[in-house]
Amino acid sequence: MNLKRIYNTRNYIETNYNEIISISDLEDISSYSYRNLQRVFYSLFQETIGAYQTRLKVENGYKKLLYSNEQISDIALEVGFADVQSFSKTFKKHFKSSPSAARNQKELLLNDFHPKELVICILEPKIVFVPEIIAYYSSCKTSYINPEIETLWDTLLENEITESISDYFGIITDDILITEKSKCTYEACIITETIIRNLPTKKLFGGRYARFLHHGSYETLEDTYQQIFGGWFLSNDFEISHLPVIEQYIKNDSNCKTPADYLTAIYIPLI
C-alpha cells in the first residue's frame, strides 16, 4: 500500500470537495484502480469516497452557516449542491435539522461551547496575511485528545530528518461542534529542507487569519478556544472561513524546558 498516494488522493478530494471529481482523476493521483482505491480508502478512513465528499459538503456548509452571513442559497451552491433544496435535504439527513434552524441556534451553540464557570475574556488577535507554504505531514483520527496527538508527533519525528525543522504546525481539520468525534482528524506538519520521500505534502495558509497566542501547556488549549469562539467571535463582526484552524508550535518541547513556557499561535481563517 502506497500511503503517500492515498493521502495525496484524500488531499485532492478535500481541495475539490465542491466539484464533480472524476474516477479517472482519482485513479491517476492514486495509481490504483477505482475499485481498489475504494477498498483501501475505506480501510484507512472508515468511509467511502462518496460519503467522505458528501460529509465535506454538508460540514463545510454548516461552518458557513455558523461563521458567515452568506445566504443559505449561496452556501448551497458554494459547497457543491445543485440547489438549496438538495442541500437542505442532505443537511437535514446528516444533522437532523434544517439549515435555517441550525443558523438560528448559532449563538446558543457557541455559548454552550464554554462551561459556565469559565470567565470569558475578549481576546484581541492580530489580523495577518500568511503566504502559502508546503509542509510534510502525518495524520490521525482523534477527538483532539493530547495523548493521541503526542503519539502521532513521535511517529512523525522518527523519520530521518537531516536538516533542521524550521516550523511545527498542527491542522485542526474538523470542528468539534459539527463533526462526529470518531471522524475528526488532526494533522502534524513540519517545515524542513530535508526530502522525506515516504511522507505526503500539503499546502498550508495562503490567506487572511486572526492570530491568537496561547501561553502554557497544551492541556489548557481548549480554554483558549473557548475564549475565541465563546467570546471574541460572538463579540465581533468577523466572518470565519470554512478552512481548517492551524496551530503553530513556536515554543515546544524541542526548544523549551517546561510546558509552562510553551507558546502556541492559533490561526483562525477569515473570509
Side-chain angles (χ1 to χ4, degrees), residues 49-228:
I49 290 172
Y52 180 58
Q53 186 177 8
T54 298
R55 180 166 69 82
L56 290 177
K57 287 181 179 182
V58 293
E59 288 183 356
N60 284 325
Y62 202 158
K63 288 181 184 179
K64 289 174 180 286
L65 290 169
L66 287 182
Y67 303 123
S68 81
N69 298 318
E70 295 181 69
Q71 296 292 322
I72 294 176
S73 56
D74 292 336
I75 290 173
L77 298 177
E78 286 177 13
V79 298
F81 288 93
D83 49 50
V84 70
Q85 288 78 17
S86 57
F87 172 57
S88 296
K89 181 179 179 180
T90 306
F91 189 95
K92 192 166 187 177
K93 181 179 179 181
H94 199 85
F95 295 112
K96 315 302 180 191
S97 170
S98 69
S100 58
R103 168 164 274 175
N104 289 337
Q105 294 169 358
K106 173 177 76 172
E107 192 160 335
L108 178 64
L109 184 65
L110 292 175
N111 275 322
D112 282 348
F113 182 51
H114 61 82
K116 301 307 178 188
E117 65 270 16
L118 182 70
V119 177
I120 291 297
C121 307
I122 305 302
L123 302 180
E124 289 300 330
K126 183 175 182 180
I127 307 303
V128 295
F129 179 87
V130 187
E132 186 178 274
I133 58 175
I134 304 294
Y136 290 103
Y137 79 99
S138 190
S139 72
C140 69
K141 292 287 185 183
T142 176
S143 53
Y144 304 118
I145 307 244
N146 284 330
E148 295 172 350
I149 292 173
E150 288 171 9
T151 300
L152 178 67
W153 275 105
D154 289 342
T155 303
L156 174 63
L157 296 175
E158 286 174 0
N159 286 276
E160 186 176 346
I161 303 171
T162 56
E163 303 291 333
S164 62
I165 297 174
S166 60
D167 274 306
Y168 301 80
F169 295 99
I171 308 301
I172 312 302
T173 300
D174 301 292
D175 189 321
I176 60 172
L177 296 177
I178 295 171
T179 305
E180 291 178 25
K181 287 184 177 181
S182 63
K183 291 183 169 65
C184 287
T185 300
Y186 173 88
E187 294 172 343
C189 306
I190 56 172
I191 309 296
T192 177
E193 294 296 324
T194 302
I195 297 174
I196 310 175
R197 300 191 183 279
N198 63 312
L199 286 181
T201 60
K202 72 182 315 176
K203 297 175 182 177
L204 309 183
F205 295 112
R208 197 168 67 110
Y209 289 79
R211 184 179 66 192
F212 296 85
L213 292 178
H214 169 80
H215 297 267
S217 168
Y218 303 136
E219 300 292 335
T220 58
L221 261 174
E222 185 179 351
D223 292 346
T224 299
Y225 277 106
Q226 290 165 347
Q227 304 285 7
I228 292 170

Side-chain angles (χ1 to χ4, degrees), residues 9-55:
T9 304
R10 188 178 69 166
N11 282 345
Y12 180 81
I13 298 169
E14 287 175 357
T15 304
N16 300 280
Y17 75 91
N18 56 348
E19 300 175 4
I20 296 174
I21 298 176
S22 71
I23 290 175
S24 61
D25 284 342
L26 295 178
E27 290 180 333
D28 288 344
I29 295 164
S30 67
S31 296
Y32 283 90
S33 70
Y34 187 68
R35 180 178 179 182
N36 283 334
L37 174 62
Q38 282 276 33
R39 177 178 56 81
V40 173
F41 193 95
Y42 188 85
S43 70
L44 284 174
F45 308 121
Q46 284 74 59
E47 55 190 330
T48 66
I49 290 172
Y52 180 58
Q53 186 177 8
T54 298
R55 180 166 69 82

